[in-house]
Amino acid sequence: MKRQIIGAAIVAMSAMSLWAVPGTIVTENDSKTGDVKWQTRQKQYVVSVKKGSTMIDVEVKPEEIVKLDIKKPDGLDKSIKAVQEGQGAAAIPTLQKIADEYKMLIWDKIAGRYLVQAYLSSGNAQKAYDAATKIVSDDKEAAYKGALAPAYWQALLKLNKIPQLEKAIKDAKSKGDRASSAAAMVVSGDLILAKGAGSQESYKQALTDAYLRVALMYNDEPCREARIDAMNRAADCFDKLGQATRAENMRDKAKSLQ
C-alpha cells in the first residue's frame, strides 16, 4: 500500500520525552498511538505506548508506514501568519523549535518552509539555506518535493548555488509530484531572469518557458499556489516589457485564485 503522510489533530497534548510528539503510526497490520519520535542514527520511528502498566517503545521503519498522523504544533499557525504579514523575524524562534522537535514528523517541513522564508525576507539567505539544509540532510526528498522545497530553492538562488538548484529542479520534474513540477517550473523562470540580468530577452524567455506554462497548464488544485506565483511573476515580466494591460489582467487572475 502506498505510504500516505498527513497531519491531523488526533490526541491531546500529554507529557512526553524530549523530541517526542503525540501521534499515531499505522502500518499494514497495526496502529499505535503514543509519543512518536524519529531516531536519526537508526533511521526509524519509535512510538512509546502503554502495555498494561508498562510503557514500551515500538520501532517502526519508514517503509512500513501506511499513515502517520501527528498533532499540529502549538503556535505554528500564528507563526505562519506572522511570516505572511511581513513579521517573520518574531516567528523565527518558534518555527526553529518546531522544525527541530518535529524532525521527520510532517510539520518540520512546513515550519521549515516559513522559517526559510522569514530568513529570506530579512535578507539572510545563508541562515535560510542552513535551516533548509538541516531538514534536507534527514529527508533527501525535501529538496525537490513537498512544502519546504520552493523556499529551499529560493535560498539556493539567492546564494547563487546554481548546480544544486538545477539538480533540485530536475529532480522535482522527474521524481516529484505534479505540484512539485509546477513549483519547479516557476523557479526555473526565476533562474532565467537571474542569468539574464534583467534583459528584455530574459523576461520574454521566463514568460514563455516558465511562468505562462504554469499559468495555462497547471489548473488542478494541488498546483494553485504555484499557479498564483507564476501569474504574479508573469505580471512583473509584462510590466518590464511595457505591457501594462497584460500585467494587470494577469494580477487580476492571480487574485481570483486566492
Side-chain angles (χ1 to χ4, degrees):
M1 185 180 296
K2 186 177 180 181
R3 180 167 59 126
Q4 297 177 328
I5 297 184
I6 62 174
I10 52 168
V11 291
M13 185 67 76
S14 60
M16 64 184 73
S17 59
L18 187 61
W19 309 128
V21 298
T24 295
I25 289 182
V26 181
T27 63
E28 289 279 2
N29 304 312
D30 199 7
S31 175
K32 286 186 168 50
T33 297
D35 289 340
V36 182
K37 62 184 175 182
W38 170 255
Q39 292 183 326
T40 300
R41 183 176 297 178
Q42 293 85 355
K43 301 296 182 184
Q44 65 184 12
Y45 293 94
V46 173
V47 55
S48 299
V49 298
K50 195 169 185 179
K51 188 173 183 180
S53 59
T54 305
M55 295 298 296
I56 63 170
D57 288 343
V58 180
E59 299 172 350
V60 185
K61 296 295 183 183
E63 59 270 21
E64 298 174 323
I65 295 177
V66 173
K67 185 168 63 175
L68 176 60
D69 286 349
I70 302 296
K71 181 183 181 294
K72 182 185 288 188
D74 292 337
L76 179 60
D77 286 342
K78 183 178 180 180
S79 297
I80 290 173
K81 185 178 180 182
V83 175
Q84 292 172 335
E85 294 178 348
Q87 300 172 3
I92 286 175
T94 298
L95 291 170
Q96 185 64 71
K97 183 174 184 290
I98 292 170
D100 289 339
E101 293 187 3
Y102 284 73
K103 181 182 289 189
M104 293 295 287
L105 294 172
I106 305 167
W107 301 105
D108 61 332
K109 314 299 188 303
I110 297 174
R113 169 186 176 168
Y114 290 96
L115 177 62
V116 171
Q117 288 182 356
Y119 279 129
L120 288 173
S121 64
S122 65
N124 200 326
Q126 185 60 53
K127 283 193 174 181
Y129 172 75
D130 292 343
T133 300
K134 191 174 180 181
I135 296 173
V136 170
S137 65
D138 283 311
D139 185 357
K140 304 304 182 187
E141 280 192 359
Y144 62 84
K145 180 180 178 181
L148 177 70
Y152 174 54
W153 301 338
Q154 290 301 322
L156 292 175
L157 184 59
K158 286 286 186 183
L159 292 174
N160 201 35
K161 294 182 179 292
I162 304 305
Q164 281 181 255
L165 177 56
E166 290 176 335
K167 182 182 185 304
I169 291 172
K170 182 179 178 181
D171 287 343
K173 292 178 178 179
S174 63
K175 298 189 287 187
D177 53 22
R178 187 165 168 80
S180 301
S181 179
M185 193 169 289
V186 172
V187 80
S188 69
D190 298 346
L191 184 55
I192 290 169
L193 293 180
K195 289 181 175 180
S199 68
Q200 293 285 289
E201 272 310 307
S202 69
Y203 291 123
K204 292 176 184 177
Q205 186 183 355
L207 279 168
T208 57
D209 290 1
Y211 303 143
L212 292 181
R213 288 192 182 188
V214 177
L216 296 172
M217 296 168 54
Y218 290 85
N219 298 315
D220 41 321
E221 178 58 28
C223 303
R224 183 169 62 88
E225 184 176 347
R227 199 165 172 235
I228 291 170
D229 288 343
M231 288 177 174
N232 284 322
R233 283 165 165 78
D236 291 341
C237 288
F238 283 132
D239 277 335
K240 295 294 185 180
L241 294 170
Q243 301 179 36
T245 300
R246 296 189 72 180
E248 184 179 356
N249 289 340
M250 193 60 67
R251 288 194 179 94
D252 287 343
K253 290 179 180 178
K255 287 179 182 177
S256 72
L257 294 176
Q258 292 176 334

